[in-house]
Amino acid sequence: MISVRPIPKRRYVIGSLIAASLLTAAAGPYSRSADDPAIPKRVRAVFPATWRFPAGARAAFAPHAMVASDSRIASEVGAQIMKEGGNAVDAAVATGFALAVAYPEAGNLGGGGYMVIRMADGRVAALDYRETAPLAATRDMYVGADGKVTGESVVGPKASGVPGSVAGMLEAQRRFGALTRAQVIAPAIRLASEGFVVDSTFVRSLTGNKYRIADFDGNAVFFVNGSVPTVGTRFTQPALARALRFISDSGAAAFYRGWIADSIAVQMKRSGGLITKEDLARYRAIWRTPIRSSYRGYGFIAMPPSSSGGTTVTEMLNVLEAYGPPEPFGTAERVHAVASASQRAFVDRNSKLGDPGFVNVPLSTLTSKSYARTLARSISRTHADPTTSIASQASEGSETTHYSVVDRHGNAVATTTTLNDLYGSGVYVSGAGFFLNDEMDDFTSKPGVPNMFGLIQGEANAIAPGKRMLSAMSPTIVLDPKGSLLLIVGARGGPRIISATSQVILNVIDHRMSIADAMSAPRIHHQSLPDSIRLENGGFDSATIARLQRMGHMTYELFGVASAEAIMRVKGGYEGMPDPRSRGAAIGF
Ligand code: DON
């Protein structure tokens, strides 16, 4: 479908009057970058007048250490842990546990995630703590007798994979942390037992998702007497505090074998879910070899499968590098190049990627520069190719939260974790105080049938017992051409995570934007099918959209393409930027 929005006149401004005052305020960070030879001079971005985020906004600056997350409370916890002597991994884990309390829509104990780590001494690591399909899961478990896909992969007890978050966070902390387990979990226990002050964001989130929570045991916790908590009051979660105390005392075994495991198994049995104590006892977080690649001389470290994120970001960037020098930001030519690279990378993602413990993933081909050159040659300069004409050329064969952390030594952590939907499957483990995920929907329920993100995936991602469902989460660390830490970035937003993460990187490297502009800039998304470019509403002028349509692209407008959290090194310290599309906070010192 071609977009039919009213076409505004082509008109660019550098933000509004408010932005003009911010520009002055931003002079510090800009000049800091400009003075550092390892960091290219930043160029002020220019966005269309219709775009809702002004160019020239200012990021938070901190000289030593920083956390950027979707929750101010959780970012404060992470920063405090670093003030108390914790390193970036301690802070990331403390932030993760705090998110499980203060940001229950996506922070979690009942979900899974990925962590990419780069220590200042050069060690790199990638931790996969994605959920697994329960042993009783079957390939066609979400296909009804009529051959149609049921809704059970999204809501209710059958939607959940075996949670990986507790195993993952504790494993990362065990291997790289400087503090004790008890020290990093203590702030979350306090937040759960003493409560945190309810704000309007929390109330809006609960109100908007009441329909999902109300059918399950969380209703009694989040809607006492049917009402959302009042802004300004303290919200306590005693059951969650008890579970966190037990995890703090006894480690991952508490969750996977102790009474918390019993509570999950009982909950599942009672409601018809599949997760058993055996599933929980078998769960392991897995250290993987991170993807190491480069883009125009910059290095990056990314998450390999079972997430598709790092592979797809790498493939896209490689294709763009091979395609040629970047056209100016916001032009039809640039949007065409980025969308066409994305379209090709998503074709591979949707057909070739899956849990490497179950399928042969052609990772080295997909991330190779020579393969990217072949793909780049297939992109016409003047017209779009329909996805159906792009066969994979490889020779072989709504909620999430991202947070970025850097400490005073330069250790860096990028973490993305999710329950999938906001509040996951809605199912709440009442004795232990947390929601379970609906991650099973990330599998291919039926080849050719779109999942909740419209992704049409193949056999490589079919359901099998113990298998990890393919993810788009893309925690990424970028190094400058001299090999020093430059950027820590990732996002929430299903497959759009890949677009947001890669476009923040492109904005910094190709368009020389400050981190504030790189995060504020309008984004696009092309996931191969549906075969169209989604453009953020108001972010591209009418002439650009008309030109894209003449090239043969279908265009849709949508409100937002994912929500990222980033930290960038600048001279004298770091700038942290929460996505202006959501309400996070970067806190440092
Ligand atoms: O792993 C994935 O790709 C999805 N489960 C992520 C879901 C997500 O980001 C929803 N959030 N906004």
Side-chain angles (χ1 to χ4, degrees):
M1 189 200 299
I2 306 287
S3 123
V4 286
R5 75 196 253 283
I7 299 181
K9 289 203 171 62
R10 189 186 176 104
R11 194 158 47 97
Y12 287 126
V13 292
I14 304 176
S16 59
L17 274 181
I18 299 169
S21 61
L22 291 173
L23 279 177
T24 322
Y30 278 105
S31 52
R32 272 193 292 271
S33 325
D35 291 349
D36 187 338
I39 305 173
K41 196 172 181 321
R42 302 286 115 198
V43 174
R44 250 166 225 161
V46 179
F47 303 145
T50 46
W51 181 233
R52 60 188 185 277
F53 304 123
R58 186 176 190 182
F61 172 77
H64 303 300
M66 189 168 259
V67 181
S69 86
D70 280 322
S71 152
R72 173 169 292 278
I73 294 172
S75 294
E76 281 167 355
V77 163
Q80 183 59 30
I81 282 286
M82 290 193 282
K83 276 192 183 155
E84 290 167 11
N87 65 19
V89 178
D90 293 310
V93 173
T95 303
F97 278 108
L99 284 164
V101 181
Y103 194 62
E105 67 180 55
N108 65 80
L109 302 186
Y114 299 95
M115 192 179 285
V116 171
I117 298 170
R118 179 182 186 265
M119 301 302 278
D121 61 11
R123 280 177 297 158
V124 295
L127 185 59
D128 176 338
Y129 51 100
R130 181 69 157 166
E131 299 92 330
T132 54
L135 293 170
T138 57
R139 191 182 181 288
D140 298 323
M141 61 187 279
Y142 301 118
V143 182
D146 57 359
K148 293 202 176 113
V149 170
T150 66
E152 287 186 321
S153 64
V154 180
V155 185
K158 288 203 170 63
S160 302
V162 183
S165 290
V166 173
M169 289 193 285
L170 295 187
E171 173 58 16
Q173 207 273 331
R174 182 199 64 75
R175 180 162 165 200
F176 287 103
L179 301 182
T180 63
R181 180 173 72 221
Q183 283 173 299
V184 299
I185 302 179
I189 297 173
R190 245 190 332 271
L191 279 171
S193 59
E194 294 170 17
F196 58 87
V197 178
V198 171
D199 64 8
S200 57
T201 309
F202 186 58
V203 167
R204 247 198 320 277
S205 168
L206 287 174
T207 309
N209 292 282
K210 186 167 184 184
Y211 72 97
R212 178 160 298 233
I213 300 167
D215 287 344
F216 304 101
D217 292 356
N219 192 40
V221 175
F222 292 93
F223 300 97
V224 178
N225 300 324
S227 308
V228 282
T230 312
V231 171
T233 59
R234 290 191 90 78
F235 181 68
T236 58
Q237 298 169 79
L240 181 55
R242 193 164 82 96
L244 286 166
R245 251 183 237 117
F246 189 45
I247 294 168
S248 170
D249 292 344
S250 310
F255 188 91
Y256 292 95
R257 293 173 195 275
W259 68 260
I260 302 177
D262 290 335
S263 304
I264 297 172
V266 166
Q267 179 93 28
M268 288 280 110
K269 198 158 189 182
R270 179 154 56 87
S271 55
L274 301 187
I275 301 172
T276 60
K277 281 201 77 174
E278 188 186 352
D279 284 310
L280 290 159
R282 287 164 71 121
Y283 186 84
R284 296 285 177 278
I286 300 176
W287 290 104
R288 310 246 185 223
T289 306
I291 295 176
R292 302 292 306 256
S293 190
S294 65
Y295 179 68
R296 302 194 206 275
Y298 289 74
F300 61 92
I301 306 156
M303 194 67 220
S306 63
S307 182
S308 68
T311 314
T312 313
V313 168
T314 304
E315 188 173 331
M316 270 182 71
L317 296 185
N318 281 345
V319 172
L320 284 169
E321 186 182 68
Y323 186 74
E327 303 84 355
F329 181 81
T331 57
E333 287 68 24
R334 178 61 166 172
V335 174
H336 169 70
V338 174
S340 302
S342 180
Q343 179 190 29
R344 283 155 178 78
F346 265 96
V347 166
D348 286 331
R349 180 221 182 265
N350 294 345
S351 59
K352 296 260 180 279
L353 298 186
D355 181 343
F358 286 73
V359 292
N360 225 341
V361 174
L363 189 61
S364 54
T365 303
L366 296 180
T367 56
S368 76
K369 299 279 184 194
S370 61
Y371 178 57
R373 280 193 292 277
T374 313
L375 291 184
R377 275 196 298 273
S378 77
I379 302 175
S380 154
R381 301 266 156 190
T382 54
H383 68 264
D385 290 306
T387 292
T388 45
S389 75
I390 305 172
S392 171
Q393 304 194 25
S395 56
E396 295 163 69
S398 258
E399 284 295 319
T400 304
T401 186
H402 174 84
Y403 49 104
S404 296
V405 183
V406 64
D407 66 20
R408 62 171 79 237
H409 310 291
N411 300 313
V413 181
T415 304
T416 317
T417 180
T418 190
L419 290 167
N420 202 18
D421 263 308
L422 283 174
Y423 303 97
S425 62
V427 175
Y428 185 79
V429 184
S430 46
F434 59 86
F435 290 97
L436 285 170
N437 66 84
D438 62 336
E439 222 70 66
M440 292 295 285
D441 190 64
D442 279 347
F443 276 120
T444 309
S445 288
K446 187 176 176 183
V449 176
N451 74 355
M452 78 160 104
F453 299 113
L455 283 171
I456 297 179
Q457 311 181 93
E459 284 298 335
N461 190 30
I463 303 172
K467 188 176 176 183
R468 284 157 149 84
M469 55 297 283
L470 190 62
S471 170
M473 290 188 269
S474 312
T476 306
I477 295 174
V478 181
L479 309 179
D480 71 20
K482 290 188 171 165
S484 300
L485 174 67
L486 178 66
L487 183 63
I488 311 164
V489 63
R492 65 191 271 178
R496 295 173 195 166
I497 289 171
I498 291 168
S499 301
T501 303
S502 53
Q503 285 164 48
V504 171
I505 295 171
L506 292 171
N507 291 344
V508 165
I509 296 178
D510 284 350
H511 302 300
R512 302 278 190 250
M513 291 185 198
S514 68
I515 193 59
D517 284 347
M519 294 280 285
S520 304
R523 297 178 186 146
I524 68 154
H525 178 67
H526 196 317
Q527 61 180 45
S528 76
L529 292 173
D531 191 353
S532 58
I533 307 180
R534 326 281 173 95
L535 300 157
E536 281 189 325
N537 195 336
F540 299 87
D541 66 85
S542 53
T544 298
I545 295 174
R547 169 127 180 77
L548 285 166
Q549 291 171 352
R550 280 199 303 278
M551 289 168 123
H553 288 286
M554 306 263 229
T555 63
Y556 281 100
E557 286 192 282
L558 83 182
F559 192 69
V561 170
S563 172
E565 299 291 335
I567 295 174
M568 183 158 128
R569 184 169 62 83
V570 294
K571 189 171 179 229
Y574 299 96
E575 286 183 356
M577 184 70 186
D579 202 306
R581 294 158 188 78
S582 59
R583 316 197 93 231
I587 308 277
F589 59 90

